[in-house]
């Protein structure tokens, strides 16, 4: 892929991921600084090619209809995307041919025919190197070679004092490194022979292993397969290498390659040893810093010679001089000039269509511009319930957008790297007294019975929270035998007073000392305010008990969705009338719908015209440990003010998952960041009322949920609020029947 900045927005369409989700959807990853949005289509793995192509085409149509003003430029990196993208009315079509993909292992037999079609459709063609240009130049009138350039500054960082990543720092030297895709183009025999020939050298291999069975990789103590690393981290790895390798096999798949890593390695100041790749030889064969060697012995000898090169020798001046003739800016200017020459004025957003996806192309009639009855902003509980009800109960066509790359809002759960089901935004425990809410959600999930228990860490003791008789007995080494005894104990400490603030409710019930032990520090950390500055409803959520009931909640229904929240949301949103588009901000869409349901922060909707409503945020620190159990219950609270976090949660208690390892989350409250909690206090309510008055003047917008109605609601309350909103909306939208 090419790397250059652009003033226009680029949508980068990535390879399809086939997964268990029942809905096709686009996962969005936004890189605002580069004006790039990466789109990852996700499709159910059990669909056949035709269904996949249709879904891709519909996802693309939705994207173009909602996010691209005017006609896009289609920029193809592979002909295989022509099947579902070819019908899009484009300002121009560019084919940027980076490889001879048809020579790759498992290449689709249709590729050559698809390329011929793309050559016909393209206004201009670029190739990633000269060999490729020579091979293709007969196929198009406007074809131009653009070998890969390099972001010299980025890679030159490797020449300075960078901290080497821990997984490499522990590897002995000298180190010979490679990064890039590890597939059939890599000469594994050569790596094996090199490692055996010089057991004192260490070979560092970075990159995803693709189309190769990992058992076929040579394994020696001096070969280190580290896996993929981010582009941003490559200079740090390069800084620790003595020699950079290009151990390519010489075969059909490498005949036309023009590896980007050659100039990158050199910009990082590393000498390079390569097998005889035509374009490497052509451009770099003459400089001392790049050695070309084929047979194993020659390759070992070339590495030996490269290791002997002085770090800052004259060879570097020679390669640096070569690098001044290449930059992404020059590539950009060159391409722009060639596009202008075929009269493409790049005045509109660019749509980049990239990467290979090898299903057979299917020809479809041109799609209709999608339009919707209702736009739902936010795919959390508020948005998903309304979308489901409007689609299934009122036959409305609904577009659901969310600026996060997933559905389920704050309740989003997923399997982490260890395969443990975790909650990305902190622990979510479902509990409700409402039969209606529970019955409604039960349409979309089975449940795992679960009663939440919390311990508070006080000094060296772990005691039940909310405070109960056991808490008092353990804390004060007492033996209070019944409720009356516990009540008398508390009454002797309680300091009755008028109940206005969060301090009042607690001190009035249990007195100053217990208040300070369990509530003051926790609340100050959690809210950044003293309990005396918060509405009484906040701490009233956690009442004190005289019984020994140690459940956190006493609700009638207490359970966790059997397969997790995300799975439940996917079932809710799995309806033919519902389209889901994640990674999409409300401000960036241009959808006309008769009604909008807004579930984001209400002040944001109105551009904070009366000032920002305060929300409290959290930082989550997720960890996985190599043992099965971290703590005795799901959540341990740390109420003292000195400990910077409020609580630690261990997910396996919530989910019942059996696993040899365990994942936990620390919660660190903070002022900035995602808005998680409306802050209940009078002045904030007064400000909210001003926004509410404004919201009430918009009959075509419903504000629903925790952020949009500025209410410290639990999940079940949001579901209840959304169901009530639906009942009103169904009548307004002309649907009397409410399922
Ligand atoms: P959200 O889940 O916040 O959904 C709103 C969605 O709108 C978000 O996904 C957001 O990305 C999207 N959005 C906002 N603005 C825009 C925009 N401009 N464009 C596009 N999308 C936008 N409740 C319980 O019942 N039990 C618990 O144990 C529990 N634990 C919690 C723990 C934590 C740490 C937190 C923060 C909350 C907890 N809650 C719990 C509360 C629960 O998370 C909420 O009640 C519920 O998730 C609110 O749903 P919602 O749809 O109103 O909001
Ligand atoms: N709280 C506290 N100590 C605790 C638990 C809770 O002081 O050990 C206070 C704190 O102000 C917290 C509020 O009670 O914000 C509500 O707690 P809850 O567990 O209901 O909060 P949630 O995490 O569910 O929002």
């Amino acid at each position: 892929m090419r790397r250059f900045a652009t003033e226009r927005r680029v949508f980068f369409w990535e390879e399809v991921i086939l997964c268990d989700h029942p809905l096709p959807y686009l996962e969005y990853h936004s890189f605002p600084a580069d004006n790039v949005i990466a789109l990852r289509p996700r499709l159910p793995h059990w669909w056949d090619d035709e269904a996949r192509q249709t879904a891709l085409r519909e996802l693309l149509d939705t994207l173009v209809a909602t996010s691209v003003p005017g006609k896009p430029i289609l920029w193809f990196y592979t002909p295989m995307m022509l099947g579902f993208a070819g019908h899009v009315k484009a300002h121009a079509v560019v084919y940027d041919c980076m490889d001879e993909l048809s020579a790759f292992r498992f290449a689709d037999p249709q590729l050559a025919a698809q390329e011929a079609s793309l050559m016909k459709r393209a206004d201009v063609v670029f190739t990633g190197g000269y060999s490729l240009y020579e091979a293709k130049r007969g196929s198009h009138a406007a074809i131009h070679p653009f070998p890969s350039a390099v972001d010299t500054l980025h890679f030159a960082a490797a020449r300075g004092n960078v901290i080497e990543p821990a997984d490499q720092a522990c590897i002995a030297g000298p180190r010979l490194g490679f990064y890039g895709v590890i597939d059939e183009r890599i000469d594994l025999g050569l790596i094996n022979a090199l490692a055996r020939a010089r057991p004192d050298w260490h070979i560092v291999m970075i990159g995803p292993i693709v189309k190769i069975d990992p058992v076929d990789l040579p394994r020696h103590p001096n070969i280190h397969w580290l896996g993929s690393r981010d582009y941003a981290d490559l200079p740090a790895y390069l800084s620790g290498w003595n020699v950079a390798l290009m151990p390519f096999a010489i075969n059909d798949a490498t005949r036309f390659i023009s590896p980007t890593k050659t100039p990158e390695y050199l910009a990082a100041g590393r000498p390079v040893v390569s097998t005889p790749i035509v374009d490497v030889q052509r451009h770099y064969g003459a400089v001392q810093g790049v050695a070309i060697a084929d047979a194993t012995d020659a390759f070992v000898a070339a590495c030996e010679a490269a290791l002997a090169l002085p770090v800052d020798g004259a060879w570097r001046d020679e390669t640096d001089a070569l690098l001044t003739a290449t930059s992404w800016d020059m590539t950009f200017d060159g391409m722009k000039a060639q596009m202008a020459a075929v009269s493409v004025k790049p005045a509109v957003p660019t749509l980049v269509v990239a990467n290979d996806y090898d299903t057979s192309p299917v020809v479809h009639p041109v799609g209709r511009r999608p339009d919707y009855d209702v736009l739902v902003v936010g795919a959390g509980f508020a948005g998903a319930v309304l979308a489901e009800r409007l689609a299934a109960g009122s036959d409305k066509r609904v577009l659901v957008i969310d600026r996060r790359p997933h559905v389920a809002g704050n309740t989003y759960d997923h399997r982490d790297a260890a395969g443990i089901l975790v909650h990305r935004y902190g622990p979510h425990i479902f509990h409700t007294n409402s039969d209606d809410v529970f019955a409604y959600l039960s349409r979309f999930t089975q449940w795992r019975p679960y009663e939440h228990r919390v311990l508070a860490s006080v000094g060296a003791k772990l005691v039940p929270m909310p405070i109960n008789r056991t808490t008092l007995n353990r804390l004060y080494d007492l033996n209070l035998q019944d409720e009356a005894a516990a009540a008398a104990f508390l009454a002797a400490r309680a300091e009755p007073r008028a109940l206005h603030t969060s301090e009042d409710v607690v001190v009035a019930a249990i007195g100053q000392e217990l208040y300070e032990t369990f509530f003051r520090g926790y609340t100050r950390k959690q809210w950044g305010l003293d309990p005396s500055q918060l509405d009484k409803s906040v701490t009233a959520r956690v009442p004190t008990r005289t019984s020994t009931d140690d459940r956190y909640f006493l609700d009638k229904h207490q359970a966790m969705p059997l397969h997790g929240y995300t799975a439940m949301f996917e079932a809710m949103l799995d309806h033919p009338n519902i389209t889901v588009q994640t990674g999409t901000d409300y401000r960036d869409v241009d959808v006309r719908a008769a009604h909008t349901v807004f579930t984001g922060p209400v002040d944001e909707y109105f551009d904070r015209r009366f000032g920002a409503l305060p929300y409290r945020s959290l930082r989550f620190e997720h960890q996985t440990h190599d043992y099965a159990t971290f703590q005795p219950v799901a959540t341990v609270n740390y109420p003292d003010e000195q400990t910077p976090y409020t609580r630690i949660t261990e997910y396996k208690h919530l989910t019942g998952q059996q696993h040899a390892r365990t994942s936990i989350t620390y919660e660190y409250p903070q002022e900035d960041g995602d808005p998680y909690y409306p802050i209940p206090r009078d002045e904030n309510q007064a400000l909210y009322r001003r926004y509410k008055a404004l919201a009430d003047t918009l009959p075509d917008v419903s504000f629903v949920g925790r952020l949009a109605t500025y209410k410290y609601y639990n999940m079940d309350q949001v579901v209840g609020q959304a169901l009530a909103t639906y009942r009103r909306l169904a009548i307004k939208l002309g649907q009397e029947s409410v399922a």
Side-chain angles (χ1 to χ4, degrees), residues 377-378 380-382 402-404 409-411 425 427-429 431 584-586 599-601 604 618 647 667 676-677 705-707 713-715 718:
V377 181
F381 263 111
D402 200 299
R403 61 183 165 202
R404 288 172 169 159
N410 280 343
T411 72
Y425 307 101
H428 278 75
I429 295 99
H431 56 102
T584 305
D585 197 292
Y586 176 61
T599 75
E604 198 183 304
L618 292 171
R647 57 185 181 183
E667 290 173 55
Y676 291 126
Y677 294 87
R706 178 148 147 150
L707 304 171
Y713 270 173
N714 291 330
M715 295 180 277
V718 171

Side-chain angles (χ1 to χ4, degrees), residues 105-124:
R105 188 186 286 182
F106 309 133
D108 193 292
Q110 306 262 5
L111 227 154
Q114 284 294 97
E115 180 167 271
S117 304
L118 181 53
M119 286 285 186
K120 280 200 196 107
R121 174 93 201 271
D123 296 287
V124 62

Side-chain angles (χ1 to χ4, degrees), residues 380-659:
F381 263 111
V385 169
L386 272 153
E388 188 282 329
R389 285 295 66 227
L390 288 161
S394 296
D395 199 25
K396 299 293 175 199
R397 284 164 310 157
V398 183
L399 174 66
V400 182
I401 61 167
D402 200 299
R403 61 183 165 202
R404 288 172 169 159
H406 55 71
V407 298
N410 280 343
T411 72
Y412 174 70
D413 54 13
H414 67 110
R415 285 184 194 269
D416 64 11
I420 299 167
L421 187 64
V422 299
H423 297 186
R424 175 162 301 170
Y425 307 101
H428 278 75
I429 295 99
F430 188 80
H431 56 102
T432 188
N433 281 318
S434 163
D435 293 336
D436 287 348
V437 166
F438 195 63
Y440 171 72
L441 292 178
S442 302
R443 298 185 198 174
F444 312 104
T445 187
Q446 295 169 275
W447 299 95
R448 167 180 195 263
Y450 170 75
E451 291 180 327
H452 192 47
R453 287 185 167 76
V454 175
L455 293 172
S457 170
V458 178
K461 295 179 179 168
L462 287 180
V463 295
M465 184 73 191
I467 297 171
N468 66 7
R469 205 158 77 235
T470 314
T471 314
L472 300 176
N473 283 337
R474 265 198 221 162
L475 199 64
Y476 294 110
D477 292 325
L478 297 172
N479 188 16
L480 303 171
Q481 288 287 336
D482 53 26
E483 300 211 19
F489 178 88
L490 292 172
R493 295 165 170 254
E495 297 171 21
R497 51 163 94 174
L499 304 185
H500 299 296
T501 70
S502 267
E503 180 189 282
D504 297 334
V505 266
V506 182
V507 176
I510 60 176
Q512 190 69 24
E513 186 180 296
L514 286 166
Y515 158 71
E516 286 179 17
T517 306
F518 289 95
F519 287 90
R520 194 174 67 185
Y522 189 105
T523 303
R524 284 183 178 173
K525 290 191 290 187
Q526 172 71 12
W527 299 95
L529 293 168
D530 190 80
S532 60
Q533 298 169 291
L534 275 169
D535 192 271
K536 63 176 184 240
S537 60
V538 176
T539 49
R541 286 165 63 96
V542 190
T544 299
R545 305 197 188 119
T546 48
S547 68
T548 53
D549 191 339
D550 62 349
R551 293 172 302 161
Y552 202 70
F553 307 110
L554 302 182
D555 300 51
K556 180 172 174 191
H557 306 283
Q558 303 189 36
M560 298 290 287
L562 186 61
H563 302 293
Y565 289 96
T566 307
M568 178 173 76
F569 274 73
E570 283 169 349
M572 287 171 92
L573 295 168
D574 183 16
H575 191 280
N577 284 351
I578 299 179
T579 304
V580 179
Q581 199 170 302
T582 53
T584 305
D585 197 292
Y586 176 61
R587 281 166 301 201
D588 296 337
V589 296
D590 170 30
V591 174
R592 251 156 277 294
H595 196 84
T596 297
V597 172
F598 188 82
T599 75
V602 61
D603 56 329
E604 198 183 304
Y605 184 91
F606 294 108
D607 298 324
R608 304 196 176 90
R609 71 175 68 169
F610 303 133
L613 269 171
Y615 295 90
R616 189 72 173 156
S617 190
L618 292 171
R619 178 171 68 81
F620 301 104
E621 192 178 304
H622 303 286
Q623 295 181 354
T624 300
H625 292 275
D626 284 333
Y627 37 82
T629 308
F630 181 86
Q631 59 191 27
V633 288
T635 299
V636 175
N637 284 1
Y638 292 81
D640 64 301
E641 214 169 339
Q642 288 70 40
T643 307
Y645 43 88
T646 49
R647 57 185 181 183
I648 303 176
T649 299
E650 183 176 20
Y651 293 103
K652 280 163 55 183
H653 295 284
L654 307 180
T655 59
Q657 189 178 353
Q658 299 295 313
H659 200 291

